Amino acid sequence: FEEVEAAMMLENVTQMTSGRITGSVLAPEKQTELEKSQSYVIFQLGGEHYALEVLRVQEVLDMGALTHVPGAPNSLRGVLNLRGHVVPVWDLRIPFGLPVDSSISRAPCVLMVESNVGEQVRVTGLLVDRVSDVLEFPNDSIQPSPPMGLGKASSYVRGLIRWQESFLLVLDVDRVFISLMNLSNAGGGF
């Protein structure tokens, strides 16, 4: 059942991002509706739910074999070959201060995410526990994140969305990757 659910999720993400890839033109009334709301990929990491703009997610992959990079920061789990391109895969548990749990009952997923670092657009993998949904929220539903109380992840969270009985932490993926790149260039142990 979970495999069918994951396949449907991947299909939804692919369909939602394909409009930007093929350059489809929407009717003006649809553009206004879309400007008022945004779709997010919802994923779990360490028991918390996070949201990431669907337009930043290229695809969702099952965790495959990673090649370890000697001397890399601890949060760089390795690199993978994605259709001939070398893509780094980062584990956000470490910079977010979450315990690394090797006894996860389900194999982790890799979100292939676009990030803007400087003037370059890079594709990078984020290791997550599970991708659960693709949901649309009105833009005004994003509340500012509190200055304290989110632990080490607070500098990477750009807002909160009330969802079910809790909140989704909306990641600022560019801040995440700038931090990870700085650590990687400095040879930090993160």
Side-chain angles (χ1 to χ4, degrees):
F1 176 73
E2 286 185 359
E3 288 177 13
V4 172
E5 184 179 282
M8 290 172 50
M9 186 73 52
L10 178 57
E11 185 176 324
N12 286 343
V13 171
T14 303
Q15 286 174 354
M16 296 187 93
T17 59
S18 66
R20 118 185 108 98
I21 293 167
T22 60
S24 65
V25 179
L26 297 173
E29 61 275 3
K30 287 287 186 186
Q31 288 177 346
T32 334
E33 288 176 29
L34 288 176
E35 289 171 4
K36 295 178 184 176
S37 65
Q38 184 151 354
S39 295
Y40 294 88
V41 174
I42 310 304
F43 65 92
Q44 284 181 278
L45 182 66
E48 291 294 328
H49 287 89
Y50 294 86
L52 190 57
E53 295 96 342
V54 76
L55 292 177
R56 301 300 289 272
V57 178
Q58 282 196 346
E59 59 187 299
V60 180
L61 303 173
D62 286 330
M63 179 66 176
L66 294 176
T67 302
H68 177 72
V69 179
N74 293 338
S75 55
L76 179 63
R77 293 291 297 264
V79 294
L80 60 82
N81 180 348
L82 181 66
R83 293 181 287 282
H85 296 281
V86 177
V87 178
V89 176
W90 298 89
D91 187 348
L92 293 181
R93 290 174 176 281
I94 296 167
F96 286 13
L98 299 171
V100 178
D101 185 6
S102 59
S103 67
I104 298 171
S105 60
R106 179 184 159 91
C109 300
V110 179
L111 285 176
M112 301 309 294
V113 177
E114 287 183 3
S115 63
N116 298 313
V117 179
E119 299 206 8
Q120 292 184 324
V121 175
R122 296 183 183 190
V123 176
T124 307
L126 293 180
L127 190 64
V128 300
D129 296 339
R130 181 173 187 250
V131 175
S132 60
D133 275 309
V134 175
L135 300 173
E136 191 167 316
F137 294 100
N139 288 337
D140 61 1
S141 68
I142 299 177
Q143 302 172 20
S145 59
M148 297 171 57
L150 295 179
K152 290 184 177 183
S154 63
S155 61
Y156 308 121
V157 175
R158 71 174 177 88
L160 303 168
I161 298 174
R162 185 169 259 320
W163 179 65
Q164 297 177 347
E165 297 299 317
S166 61
F167 287 97
L168 293 171
L169 303 172
V170 181
L171 284 186
D172 184 329
V173 73
D174 294 327
R175 270 194 252 167
V176 169
F177 286 120
I178 288 170
S179 176
L180 292 171
M181 290 299 120
N182 288 339
L183 287 170
S184 157
N185 293 336
F190 215 62

